[in-house]
Amino acid sequence: MPSSKPFIFNSYSQRKIALKFSYSGWSYNGLAAQSVPTPLPTVEQTLWDALSKGRLVDASKSFDSAGWSRCGRTDKGVSSAGQVVALWVRSAYTPYNAPHAPHAIEAFKQPTAARPPSLSKAQHASIDSADESERDSVRERVYKEAHEAQIFKESQPQTHELNYIQILNSLLPPSIRILGWAPVHPAFDARFDCLRRHYKYYVDPAASPQGPGLDVGRMNTALQRLKGTHDFRNFCKVDASKQIKNFHRTIHDAWIEREENLNLHCVNLVGSAFLYHQVRCMMAVLFLVGCGKEEVSVVDDLMRVELDPEHPHLPTVIGKPIYDMAHDLPLCLYDCVYDDSKVVWRSAPCGSESE
């Protein structure tokens, strides 16, 4: 029997895409892949393993080799309903049938290695049955015919891309689901091209970390004071290794809504970017306000890290007060928002480049 055809990843074309997906945070040791063993798998490593098994990336290479970027890093226990990563993946298109303008693939890489032609059983048999004196010439002729047939096949019109959603969801555990994919430009970065990130934090007023009887109205009043551009150094966990000097971030919108079917309240926070543990720290302060242990004005106090020249009598809070962060499990990265003209999500099984 002939040996199985080797899979040479670099003999296939690649394109850059963004993937939108959801995951249950409690099943994983956070989003980001780690260089050391972790008690639980990470979301990224699980996704990479599925990409490798589906031969969509080169399993022998690293995340960096695929141009990997992520939108928002989530910690252990935190879930997402709309996380986004971007990377180069194998494409069904070839240099011979890739679409041209106006539907050309913006980020398209041609193969860098030759793909061995596929031989049929009859072709293998013709080589094996040839006289020894003629076997080399027969082999050369058969491989030439196979190569020409392969080029002809690759030149035929290709109307649909690989079914990325189906391939990955068939290989991923149920706790991670691919929701859609989008063609992106070569320089696209899932983190830096994101316009807004929308977080949701679910609250049960009858069973909060500070005890029952949360005043959701007080929490919402305090929440509104977080909107706008502020210095949030007292609402985050400072990571000395990252050497962050700018703690200013912008909260575009914030509100609390009631989830009727779940008997819960949902705190919504929409911002351009967030500091390390910023949402959980803000929620911790909101819980203190909601249970009456702090006044609503504590939010303004914590954001006043420099002397206010218009109100010099007001105190500044230079060192972050000690308080426990809110729990990770109720937190969800709900959505990552991009420019609709640059990122068009596809959720259908397959998609034509002209769609």
Side-chain angles (χ1 to χ4, degrees):
M1 293 293 291
S3 59
S4 59
K5 179 183 176 182
F7 184 83
I8 303 175
F9 184 80
N10 287 341
S11 67
Y12 292 85
S13 302
Q14 299 177 55
R15 71 183 303 171
K16 192 168 189 181
I17 67 169
L19 288 172
K20 175 171 280 194
F21 58 101
S22 63
Y23 51 88
S24 303
W26 52 85
S27 302
Y28 298 95
N29 210 81
L31 170 70
Q34 303 295 318
S35 58
V36 297
T38 54
L40 293 171
T42 64
V43 175
E44 281 188 340
Q45 189 61 57
T46 304
L47 180 54
W48 179 264
D49 291 344
L51 286 159
S52 299
K53 192 171 183 180
R55 293 178 170 178
L56 297 178
V57 297
D58 189 342
S60 66
K61 299 293 181 66
S62 65
F63 287 85
D64 289 341
S65 69
W68 188 279
S69 62
R70 72 178 76 92
C71 180
R73 180 170 179 167
T74 57
D75 298 315
K76 179 181 178 181
V78 179
S79 300
S80 178
Q83 178 67 270
V84 174
V85 297
L87 71 159
W88 289 89
V89 294
R90 179 167 62 92
S91 173
Y93 291 96
T94 72
Y96 307 106
N97 64 16
H100 301 290
H103 305 300
I105 299 175
E106 189 172 3
F108 187 77
K109 288 182 180 178
Q110 297 192 16
T112 58
R115 190 185 313 176
S118 299
L119 300 186
S120 66
K121 291 183 179 180
Q123 288 172 318
H124 277 289
S126 66
I127 295 174
D128 295 339
S129 62
D131 291 338
E132 188 172 346
S133 61
E134 299 178 352
R135 188 163 297 164
D136 287 344
S137 62
V138 171
R139 180 183 290 108
E140 183 178 353
R141 174 179 57 80
V142 168
Y143 271 90
K144 181 180 179 182
E145 292 174 352
H147 181 67
E148 291 174 349
Q150 180 170 293
I151 292 179
F152 176 77
K153 181 180 178 181
E154 292 179 0
S155 302
Q156 299 307 299
Q158 178 74 22
T159 59
H160 291 87
E161 184 53 275
L162 292 173
N163 196 333
Y164 296 122
I165 298 175
Q166 184 182 58
I167 292 172
L168 289 171
N169 281 339
S170 68
L171 298 171
L172 287 165
S175 51
I176 302 177
R177 293 290 86 185
I178 304 298
L179 306 175
W181 71 278
V184 294
H185 59 81
F188 178 84
D189 188 288
R191 176 186 175 189
F192 295 110
D193 282 301
C194 182
L195 302 177
R196 295 185 303 280
R197 294 158 176 86
H198 183 176
Y199 281 92
K200 288 180 177 254
Y201 195 98
Y202 293 91
V203 176
D204 182 355
S208 76
Q210 300 296 334
L214 277 180
D215 188 330
V216 177
R218 277 173 57 90
M219 291 179 66
N220 188 56
T221 300
L223 177 65
Q224 298 310 306
R225 301 192 178 195
L226 293 169
K227 290 163 65 171
T229 301
H230 307 284
D231 188 315
F232 286 105
R233 70 183 64 197
N234 291 324
F235 289 92
C236 72
K237 182 177 180 180
V238 178
D239 186 346
S241 65
K242 295 182 179 180
Q243 299 181 337
I244 296 178
K245 297 181 179 180
N246 180 14
F247 294 91
H248 283 82
R249 296 294 185 271
T250 301
I251 303 297
H252 297 291
D253 203 359
W255 72 96
I256 299 177
E257 59 190 357
R258 183 169 183 175
E259 300 286 346
E260 297 292 343
N261 297 332
L262 300 176
N263 196 28
L264 298 173
H265 286 75
C266 178
V267 179
N268 292 268
L269 287 157
V270 180
S272 53
F274 291 84
L275 296 164
Y276 186 37
H277 288 323
Q278 181 180 342
V279 176
R280 290 172 62 188
C281 287
M282 289 192 295
M283 286 306 308
V285 173
L286 292 178
F287 280 132
L288 291 171
V289 172
C291 72
K293 293 183 179 180
E294 292 286 354
E295 297 298 324
V296 170
S297 59
V298 72
V299 171
D300 300 313
D301 295 338
L302 290 174
M303 292 190 295
R304 194 182 309 107
V305 297
E306 296 179 348
L307 185 67
D308 185 348
E310 296 184 4
H311 305 89
H313 63 285
L314 295 176
T316 58
V317 181
I318 299 175
K320 177 188 172 186
I322 297 175
Y323 57 83
D324 294 329
M325 285 194 302
H327 204 278
D328 48 22
L329 290 182
L331 179 58
C332 176
L333 174 57
Y334 182 69
D335 196 15
C336 302
V337 181
Y338 297 87
D339 186 336
D340 289 338
S341 67
K342 297 180 180 179
V343 180
V344 180
W345 295 107
R346 302 180 180 184
S347 57
C350 296
S352 168
E353 294 306 313
S354 61
E355 289 180 354

